[in-house]
């Protein structure tokens, strides 16, 4: 950029300029340096399952800190970017990209990037950290197990042996396309909300089934393509909150991560100043659907579309397609009336039906069966992602149920570095009993949380978990800066090396050996090979 265009940019878009400057500084301070081509990376070697933004970001942190990894992706190379590689071009972030910094080197050009910009940031990251040579596509992981030395094998030994695993399979798999009663009668078209590219609803009446973020996106799509009228048919209520990073950030700052006696304050403020005349479509008071119970949708336009008369948002039950083929029979319920409760039946005439009914959850069934045993089944795991029997397994972003926060943010790096710390430092590694104690303690603290302790969390609660579990164990203190910010790993590594020398000198086995009964592993820069 020449000086002239630089000055023009600065004057015309000062906020965007400041945003770029902040991102540049974050990159300089926090991004690990990409390894040079052909660099010899050290053990521990980590298998990363999934090449969405979580897998790519985790892998780039691993190699950036000098350790080895391999990504296994079920789909072909076109699937790089995970779910974002498979949705509409019109899809984009609902939350501000400030909260979607899945790697410190990500450079957003605007506040709310679209699908293409997100995929291009993931692809650039993949290239920048030389992950082309470390990714195996068309390889679905179906089982993981340990060899006699305690190293992990994925599917079969031909894929290698690993010291740890990051499962990054996401929460949005194949599109869910339920068949509704009487579907064979419908004369119009039926689309899934993720398959709208190249389609137009101009002049048509559209019924959108579902009341989640995809329904909101589909409504925006049909409004832009000048549909005659759109109906959102939602069988349950979810909160919609304004697209404002300050408000979103403030809500994410509830460190308790659940409803509190003060939750009525933001809820009533939203009803009064955001929903206003449409407060009827907000979740009813005392219904158990507080703001801190389910992931809210972040959107400014939907309520305006309803106010303008271009769209209707109806709460109720889908009874099925009408035998006339003209649309859907719908039982419209009033606020507070439960699913399948009494209501008013009406025919919603439609030319097009969009199924905004979500995605199937990818399975974690490839993990050892004991990680699913109650009462420590996912998401009731240590820090929500480490099964208590296996601190070397990190299921990053795939045990997630609901949150006020975001999937694509700094925690991806933090979780990856927790795993690295556990693998290289036997004294910092949590024991199964302590992991269970932490889960029990969090359950106790959140015993009043509707739905359970780990089904909903806020971003500040996540940060509290991280800081707490570092502070509680003095052997982790030396790692604090590295785990939380990704800087300063040399000092703790040196300490670990010396601690290990002392243990060996005293003829003691290290904690890792005690726990696993296996051979000694990677110690401060030495590799014991495959
Ligand atoms: C339209 C849309 C908009 C969204 N917007 C937001 C938003 O604004 N904010 C937000 O926080 N979240 C949003 N999300 C949620 C989104 O899922 C996450 O933000 C994020 O993209 C998840 O990335 P991921 O890498 O964890 O998972 P994914 O992107 O789903 O990637 C997982 C990868 O793992 C692969 N895989 C699965 N199983 C296996 C296996 N057994 N073996 C090998 N590979 C496997 C899959 O093929 C896939 O490529 C949105 C989702 C959608 C659909
Ligand atoms: N830009 C964005 O930020 C964006 C856009 C899209 C998606 N996403 C994310 O992607 C994930 C999936 O979102 P989503 O909206 O696709 O799915 P979702 O949140 O699971 O919502 C699906 C909706 O469809 C309804 N539904 C499901 N099956 C139905 C059936 N048989 N009959 C009637 N209604 C049915 C559900 O009702 P019930 O709730 O009653 O089951 C729910 O309202 C979420 O994490 C979301 O945040 C984000």
């Amino acid at each position: 950029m020449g000086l002239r265009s630089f000055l023009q940019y600065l004057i015309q878009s000062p906020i965007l300029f400041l945003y770029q400057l902040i991102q540049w500084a974050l990159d300089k301070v926090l991004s690990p340096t990409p390894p040079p081509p052909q660099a010899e990376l050290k053990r521990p070697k980590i298998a990363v399952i999934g090449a969405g933004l979580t897998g790519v970001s985790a892998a780039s942190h691993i190699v950036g800190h000098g350790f080895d990894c391999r990504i296994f992706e079920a789909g072909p190379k076109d699937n790089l970017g995970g779910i974002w590689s498979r949705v509409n071009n019109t899809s984009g972030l609902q939350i501000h990209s400030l909260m979607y910094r899945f790697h410190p080197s990500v450079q957003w050009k605007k506040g709310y990037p679209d699908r293409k910009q997100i995929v291009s940031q993931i692809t650039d990251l993949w290239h920048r950290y030389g992950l082309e040579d470390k990714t195996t596509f068309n390889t679905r992981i179906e089982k993981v197990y340990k060899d006699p030395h305690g190293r992990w094998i994925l599917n079969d030994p031909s894929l290698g042996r690993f010291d740890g695993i990051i499962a990054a399979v996401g929460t949005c798999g194949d599109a869910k396309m339920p068949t509704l009663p009487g579907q064979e009668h419908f004369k119009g078209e039926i689309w899934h909300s993720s398959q709208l590219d190249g389609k137009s609803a101009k002049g048509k009446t559209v019924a959108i089934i579902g009341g989640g973020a995809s329904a909101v996106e589909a409504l925006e799509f049909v409004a832009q393509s000048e549909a005659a009228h759109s109906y959102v048919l939602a069988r349950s209520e979810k909160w919609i909150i304004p697209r404002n990073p300050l408000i979103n950030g403030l809500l994410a700052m509830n460190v308790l991560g659940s409803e509190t006696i003060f939750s009525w304050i933001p809820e009533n403020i939203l009803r009064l100043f955001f929903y206003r005349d449409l407060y009827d479509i907000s979740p009813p008071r005392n219904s158990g659907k507080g703001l801190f119970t389910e992931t809210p949708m972040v959107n400014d336009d939907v309520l305006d579309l309803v106010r303008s008369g271009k769209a209707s948002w109806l709460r109720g039950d889908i009874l099925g397609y009408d035998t006339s083929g003209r649309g859907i029979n719908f039982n419209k319920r009033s606020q507070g009336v439960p699913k399948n409760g009494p209501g008013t039946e009406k025919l919603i005439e439609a030319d097009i039906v969009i199924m905004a009914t979500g995605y199937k959850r990818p399975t974690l069934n490839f993990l050892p069966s004991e990680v699913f045993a109650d009462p420590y089944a996912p998401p009731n795991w240590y820090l929500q992602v480490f099964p208590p029997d296996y601190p070397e397994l990190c299921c990053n972003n795939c045990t997630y149920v609901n949150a006020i926060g975001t999937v694509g943010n700094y925690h991806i790096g933090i979780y990856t570095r927790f795993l690295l710390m556990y693998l290289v430092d036997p004294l910092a590694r949590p024991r199964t009993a302590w992991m269970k104690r932490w889960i029990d303690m969090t359950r106790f603290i959140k015993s009043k949380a509707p739905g359970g302790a780990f089904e909903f969390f806020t971003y500040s609660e996540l940060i509290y978990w991280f800081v707490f579990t570092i502070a509680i164990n003095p052997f982790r203190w030396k790692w604090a800066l590295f785990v939380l910010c990704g800087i300063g790993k040399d000092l703790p590594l040196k300490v670990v090396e010396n601690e290990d020398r002392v243990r060996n000198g005293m003829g003691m086995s290290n904690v890792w050996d005690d726990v696993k009964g296996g051979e000694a592993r990677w110690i401060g820069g030495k590799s014991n090979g495959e």
Side-chain angles (χ1 to χ4, degrees):
M1 191 186 279
L3 182 64
R4 198 188 153 92
S5 43
F6 170 79
L7 288 174
Q8 252 172 3
Y9 182 51
L10 174 62
I11 293 163
Q12 283 166 2
S13 321
I15 295 187
L16 266 185
F17 175 79
L18 186 67
Y19 188 32
Q20 307 289 332
L21 203 67
I22 294 171
Q23 296 190 85
W24 175 84
L26 287 173
D27 179 24
K28 289 283 160 245
V29 178
L30 299 177
S31 294
T33 313
Q38 314 306 326
E40 209 179 300
L41 297 165
K42 295 177 286 192
R43 274 194 177 259
K45 184 173 181 181
I46 296 168
V48 178
I49 307 175
L53 64 81
T54 308
V56 171
S57 170
S60 65
H61 282 287
I62 296 168
V63 299
H65 292 301
F67 301 104
D68 204 0
C69 76
R70 177 149 287 278
I71 304 176
F72 298 102
E73 165 57 47
K77 196 172 167 204
D78 293 351
N79 264 36
L80 184 64
I83 184 67
W84 286 110
S85 68
R86 306 196 300 269
V87 291
N88 308 307
N89 284 324
T90 46
S91 281
L93 279 191
Q94 287 187 351
I95 48 144
H96 196 279
S97 56
L98 253 179
M99 298 177 203
Y100 209 75
R101 298 195 48 75
F102 55 86
H103 192 275
S105 64
V106 162
Q107 299 288 333
W108 297 121
K109 300 253 175 330
K110 55 185 200 177
Y112 297 94
D114 61 21
R115 177 197 93 89
K116 276 192 180 153
Q117 288 160 329
I118 297 167
V119 173
S120 110
Q121 285 293 328
I122 302 171
T123 312
D124 288 354
L125 181 65
W126 186 69
H127 287 301
R128 199 157 51 246
Y129 281 81
L131 296 171
E132 304 94 321
D133 298 339
K134 300 211 159 285
T135 308
T136 309
F137 289 103
N138 298 308
T139 307
R140 178 172 294 281
I141 300 306
E142 277 157 357
K143 60 177 173 184
V144 303
Y145 57 100
K146 284 187 166 187
D147 73 5
H149 303 294
R151 288 172 302 188
W152 288 96
I153 293 173
L154 287 82
N155 290 355
D156 65 69
S158 65
L159 297 182
R161 288 166 203 264
F162 300 90
D163 304 294
I165 296 178
I166 293 183
V169 299
T171 55
C172 298
D174 294 337
K176 256 197 227 163
M177 213 43 189
T179 306
L180 302 178
Q183 194 159 307
E184 65 282 6
H185 301 300
F186 186 53
K187 291 185 185 137
E189 291 187 68
I190 305 175
W191 305 332
H192 188 264
S193 59
S194 63
Q195 291 150 1
L196 303 179
D197 279 349
K199 303 205 163 84
S200 168
K202 192 166 181 171
K204 308 276 186 192
T205 303
V206 182
I208 299 167
I209 297 185
S214 292
V216 165
E217 265 195 9
L219 181 54
E220 286 182 324
F221 170 85
V222 289
Q224 267 159 24
S225 67
E226 296 170 32
H229 192 82
S230 316
Y231 294 92
V232 175
L233 307 180
R235 64 181 179 186
S236 49
E237 302 96 343
K238 286 184 177 35
W239 281 97
I240 307 175
I241 59 175
R243 232 182 181 193
N244 179 313
L246 186 65
I247 295 175
N248 306 161
L250 281 173
L251 291 174
M253 274 164 71
N254 169 0
V255 76
L256 296 174
S258 70
E259 289 287 283
T260 66
I261 50 165
F262 301 111
S263 298
W264 62 271
I265 300 175
E267 287 167 13
N268 278 355
I269 290 176
L270 283 172
R271 284 194 187 97
L272 259 173
F273 298 107
F274 184 59
Y275 282 90
R276 303 196 313 261
D277 49 321
L278 298 175
Y279 71 91
D280 172 65
I281 59 176
S282 69
R285 289 183 177 84
N286 307 320
S287 62
K289 291 222 164 198
L291 199 45
F292 298 95
T293 59
E294 263 187 56
T295 313
M297 294 169 284
V298 187
N299 191 278
D300 284 341
D301 300 332
V302 165
L303 298 179
D304 287 340
L305 281 171
V306 176
R307 276 188 199 107
S308 70
K310 289 185 183 149
S312 312
W313 189 290
L314 307 180
R315 176 195 303 103
D317 311 301
I318 313 276
L319 304 174
Y321 286 94
D322 192 67
T323 46
S324 67
R326 289 186 294 135
I328 289 174
N329 288 315
F330 188 71
N331 177 40
K332 183 174 176 295
R333 282 184 269 116
S334 303
Q335 196 185 38
V337 178
K339 275 182 189 170
N340 301 315
T344 321
E345 279 187 33
K346 60 190 273 187
L347 169 67
I348 305 291
E349 295 198 28
D351 306 303
I352 297 167
V353 169
I354 299 181
M355 303 295 284
T357 39
Y359 299 84
K360 291 179 196 149
R361 204 177 177 104
T363 181
L364 283 171
N365 274 356
F366 51 81
L367 295 175
S369 58
E370 56 268 34
V371 305
F372 302 105
D374 279 330
Y376 302 107
N380 301 295
W381 285 348
Y382 186 65
L383 296 176
Q384 209 195 46
V385 305
F386 295 98
D389 292 316
Y390 296 102
E392 68 272 32
L393 297 183
C394 173
C395 298
N396 203 345
N397 275 340
C398 45
T399 56
Y400 177 102
V401 184
N402 281 299
I404 293 192
T406 159
V407 172
N409 213 347
Y410 282 105
H411 63 279
I412 300 176
I414 297 180
Y415 274 126
T416 307
R417 294 188 293 270
F418 262 109
L419 178 68
L420 288 171
M421 171 178 77
Y422 297 160
L423 291 175
V424 300
D425 185 352
L427 295 175
R429 192 179 155 95
R431 307 277 190 118
T432 298
W434 281 108
M435 293 166 92
K436 288 184 174 168
R437 234 166 262 171
W438 180 86
I439 297 166
D440 295 341
M441 181 195 82
T442 306
R443 275 195 182 127
F444 175 74
I445 294 172
K446 294 181 79 177
S447 51
K448 296 235 159 47
F454 294 97
E455 281 74 359
F456 180 92
F457 63 94
T458 55
Y459 214 74
S460 57
E461 183 188 12
L462 204 61
I463 303 298
Y464 152 72
W465 290 351
F466 296 153
V467 173
F468 177 83
T469 55
I470 292 174
I472 197 81
N473 180 339
F475 292 107
R476 293 184 193 143
W477 294 353
K478 58 185 176 296
W479 290 102
L481 202 58
F482 172 68
V483 172
L484 296 176
C485 307
I487 41 188
K489 77 168 186 307
D490 292 342
L491 176 73
L493 273 179
K494 265 255 145 335
V495 176
V496 172
E497 213 173 322
N498 287 330
E499 279 171 354
D500 216 75
R501 238 178 252 136
V502 172
R503 266 198 307 273
N504 288 344
M506 291 167 71
M508 287 163 66
S509 61
N510 67 33
V511 175
W512 179 285
D513 290 339
D514 285 347
V515 173
K516 292 292 155 194
E519 66 181 63
R521 303 288 185 91
W522 184 90
I523 302 162
K526 284 179 243 152
S527 159
N528 66 349
E530 281 278 277

